[in-house]
């Protein structure tokens, strides 16, 4: 179905609202399982040398990819967060043990923003564009979405991939082409 300009503007405003409402949470301190996962799988920890100096203890990539013994690691989130945080460290060049909560949360935040238009688009594909725009606003303003879409865990990515999978399934059923199933 054809998407109207009003629909696009309404959904675009919901995307902006979601981005603006989630942005202040990016720089907040890491919470419980976020901190635990970041310390065990993404950034690493610290060690105290014999002379009392605190030194960073960086983990190899295998901890990011396969560490399930000590944490519930959301692997894709951990990989994207580590890449984001490594990029931040390369650009900012902070000293010592400094880390960026914003860089660590950035992949989930971006996924959470993308959820808003994808939900509206999915509803439009089912023939309910204005209901999709309304759903986009509901998601953009919902407290649970705002929390989980900015948390340094994989929940935002999971919701994004669910919507993408549904969109691909609809495209596969409508076109009959195998590329959408793949």
């Amino acid at each position: 179905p054809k998407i109207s300009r009003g629909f696009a503007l309404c959904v675009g405003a919901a995307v902006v609202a979601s981005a603006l409402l989630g942005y202040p949470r990016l720089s907040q301190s890491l919470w419980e399982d976020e901190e635990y996962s970041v310390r065990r799988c993404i950034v690493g920890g610290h060690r105290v040398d014999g002379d009392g100096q605190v030194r960073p203890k960086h983990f190899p990539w295998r901890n990011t990819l396969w560490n399930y013994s000590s944490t519930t690691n959301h692997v894709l989130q951990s990989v994207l967060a580590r890449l984001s945080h490594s990029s931040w460290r390369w650009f900012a060049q902070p000293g010592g043990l400094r880390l960026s909560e914003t860089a660590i949360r950035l992949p989930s935040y971006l996924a959470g923003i993308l959820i808003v238009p994808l939900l509206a688009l999915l509803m439009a594909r089912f023939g309910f564009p204005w209901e999709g725009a309304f759903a986009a606003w509901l998601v953009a303003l919902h407290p649970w979405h705002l929390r989980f879409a900015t948390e340094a865990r994989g929940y935002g990515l999971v919701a994004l991939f669910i919507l993408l999978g549904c969109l691909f399934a609809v495209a596969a059923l409508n076109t009959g082409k195998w590329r959408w199933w793949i």
Side-chain angles (χ1 to χ4, degrees):
K2 189 173 181 179
I3 295 175
S4 72
R5 182 181 173 137
F7 170 81
L9 288 173
C10 185
V11 172
V15 169
V16 170
S18 176
L20 291 174
L21 290 171
Y23 183 77
R25 287 183 45 85
L26 288 177
S27 60
Q28 291 181 354
S29 296
L30 298 171
W31 294 54
E32 298 180 19
D33 62 336
E34 287 181 299
E35 182 271 330
Y36 192 73
S37 182
V38 165
R39 191 167 28 93
R40 297 282 184 181
C41 303
I42 299 169
V43 174
H46 65 277
R47 59 185 162 78
V48 180
D49 286 344
D51 61 354
Q53 291 287 333
V54 177
R55 306 249 187 251
K57 181 180 177 185
H58 300 288
F59 289 131
W61 270 93
R62 74 171 175 261
N63 283 43
T64 303
L65 296 170
W66 293 289
N67 187 5
Y68 291 105
S69 61
S70 62
T71 183
T72 56
N73 182 19
H74 299 159
V75 178
L76 182 58
Q77 165 62 25
S78 295
V79 168
L80 294 174
R82 184 164 181 174
L83 290 172
S84 176
H85 190 263
S86 296
S87 299
W88 172 80
R89 287 195 67 83
W90 187 79
F91 282 111
Q93 298 184 353
L97 300 172
R98 291 198 50 219
L99 63 89
S100 169
E101 291 88 351
T102 301
I104 291 168
R105 288 188 172 122
L106 190 61
S108 281
Y109 174 67
L110 295 176
I113 292 171
L114 288 174
I115 288 167
V116 175
L118 286 180
L119 177 60
L121 184 60
L122 180 63
M123 297 283 292
R125 293 284 183 251
F126 284 131
F128 302 106
W130 288 106
E131 291 83 350
F134 181 69
W137 271 102
L138 284 177
V139 167
L141 300 175
H142 200 284
W144 284 2
H145 174 75
L146 292 171
R147 176 189 170 198
F148 288 115
T150 54
E151 202 166 274
R153 303 292 283 143
Y155 307 121
L157 291 169
V158 168
L160 175 70
F161 288 132
I162 288 171
L163 288 172
L164 280 174
C166 290
L167 278 168
F168 290 160
V170 168
L173 292 171
N174 287 339
T175 64
K177 295 185 179 180
W178 280 101
R179 70 175 177 220
W180 295 110
W181 287 115
I182 293 171

